[in-house]
Amino acid sequence: MNSVVHTIDSSSGKRRLQVVRRADGLFGYQEQYCYTNALAGVDRWASLPPTSSLFESLEAAVREAPYLFEWLAADHISAQPCTAADGFAAR
């Protein structure tokens, strides 16, 4: 099972990149974005499809992230931060 060992948030708080340690000891990414369910009045984190990038260390994964995720390198997103923790959050 994967465990989150590091999280990088966008300056807007609407995107995040979680660095996960896999069961085999390698590190990978889980990219997420925050969306609002207007009917339920909650914010929620949703995961994008996983990348195929794998790294031998946490340091290598963090160092390479800006080269693999354009939003992280540019970080020009301007919106209200997500209020969701790890699941749902009331608005």
Side-chain angles (χ1 to χ4, degrees):
M1 171 161 232
N2 294 345
S3 59
V4 177
V5 294
H6 187 73
T7 301
I8 304 168
D9 295 304
S10 68
S11 61
S12 70
K14 289 288 193 179
R15 283 187 159 191
R16 70 182 180 187
L17 184 67
Q18 295 181 320
V19 181
V20 295
R21 183 177 184 146
R22 299 166 15 128
D24 61 8
L26 295 175
F27 295 84
Y29 300 118
Q30 178 176 317
E31 184 180 11
Q32 297 183 321
Y33 66 95
C34 182
Y35 73 93
T36 300
N37 180 328
L39 294 175
V42 296
D43 286 344
R44 181 173 169 95
W45 287 106
S47 295
L48 295 170
T51 67
S52 60
S53 301
L54 295 175
F55 303 91
E56 291 186 6
S57 70
L58 170 61
E59 293 78 14
V62 171
R63 182 182 63 241
E64 295 300 315
Y67 299 104
L68 299 170
F69 298 92
E70 186 177 321
W71 66 265
L72 187 56
D75 202 2
H76 56 77
I77 303 166
S78 60
Q80 294 300 313
C82 182
T83 59
D86 286 323
F88 291 99
R91 273 194 152 303

